[in-house]
Amino acid sequence: VTILQVASSGCYPYVPNPGSLISKMCAASNTFALDVIKKVVPKVVVIAQFSGIDTKNDMKSVVAQLRDYGVEKVIVMGPVPKYEASLYQIVIRKYWLHTPRRISTNLTQEPFDEDSSLRKKYANGDGGVEYVSLVDALCTTDGCLSYLGGDVKKGLVSFDYGHFNAATSLFAVKSTVAPLIMKALGLPYNSSKMAPETVDISIN
């Protein structure tokens, strides 16, 4: 499988138009991304946005444009759990002597509300979108994953209040979006559930 990534910092995906008041940098970034997709015509496009999905932009218009270019499947990654402070600060202040695998305190509500709304909006692939809930991947009724593997210090899932480290990114992708990509490509994939406590947190 060949992966082609186009990304920019602080820009959400949208279809640029001449009358837009959004920054020229983001317009240029999105124009470049769409031009690349139009030229390459990948079978699968994965869209990730840190927050504000369908409130800061119109995902359906993006998907419609990609479909027009010939993209067969569009996968939208949902918001990630976020904390009121950096995760390591919360662990040091409240859970240093005993860090639970999942933490239910100091989480902000916004990602959970956004995820719930998006799951309803894109249920059954409505709008040509396959929605992936990262809240479901990382959280249960007991809380959200605080660390992976057997080492709390090295395995914290986030290096700040919500951005994944490399090991968490791999865990999230392997357990959620990878099976969908491989299925769309007609390729086999070992879909066995990954256990957080057995994840290898060493990144070579």
Side-chain angles (χ1 to χ4, degrees):
V1 176
T2 301
I3 297 175
L4 173 62
Q5 178 176 339
V6 180
S8 58
S9 178
C11 296
Y12 47 85
Y14 64 93
V15 179
N17 65 76
S20 175
L21 298 177
I22 304 172
S23 76
K24 291 183 179 180
M25 181 193 77
C26 291
S29 173
N30 278 286
T31 297
F32 175 73
L34 290 171
D35 286 347
V36 169
I37 292 170
K38 184 178 181 180
K39 180 180 179 180
V40 176
V41 193
K43 283 189 176 182
V44 183
V45 171
V46 180
I47 302 176
Q49 181 176 333
F50 191 64
S51 63
I53 301 171
D54 272 342
T55 56
K56 294 182 178 179
N57 57 346
D58 178 7
M59 195 62 74
K60 288 188 176 182
S61 67
V62 176
V63 173
Q65 186 69 72
L66 298 180
R67 292 286 192 180
D68 187 57
Y69 289 161
V71 174
E72 296 179 11
K73 190 175 192 66
V74 180
I75 299 172
V76 174
M77 305 295 288
V80 304
K82 299 176 191 173
Y83 292 89
E84 297 169 350
S86 291
L87 180 56
Y88 70 87
Q89 293 176 324
I90 295 171
V91 169
I92 289 173
R93 292 169 182 169
K94 299 182 69 173
Y95 301 106
W96 186 243
L97 294 179
H98 173 67
T99 306
R101 180 69 64 178
R102 298 180 183 276
I103 293 177
S104 60
T105 62
N106 299 98
L107 286 158
T108 62
Q109 186 61 35
E110 179 188 6
F112 297 95
D113 293 340
E114 188 175 341
D115 176 70
S116 177
S117 174
L118 290 167
R119 280 196 286 182
K120 292 177 183 176
K121 185 172 186 177
Y122 294 116
N124 304 316
D126 289 351
V129 170
E130 182 87 35
Y131 179 72
V132 174
S133 171
L134 290 175
V135 168
D136 273 359
L138 297 171
C139 306
T140 66
T141 54
D142 295 327
C144 298
L145 280 177
S146 58
Y147 69 98
L148 298 171
D151 190 323
V152 176
K153 294 179 182 178
K154 295 181 180 179
L156 288 180
V157 298
S158 173
F159 62 83
D160 59 6
Y161 64 92
H163 292 89
F164 289 166
N165 57 34
T168 310
S169 294
L170 286 173
F171 171 77
V173 168
K174 287 181 177 180
S175 61
T176 58
V177 72
L180 297 177
I181 293 174
M182 299 301 276
K183 182 180 178 181
L185 296 176
L187 298 173
Y189 183 77
N190 183 1
S191 60
S192 59
K193 189 69 175 178
M194 299 176 66
E197 60 270 17
T198 62
V199 171
D200 183 2
I201 60 175
S202 62
I203 304 298
N204 298 321

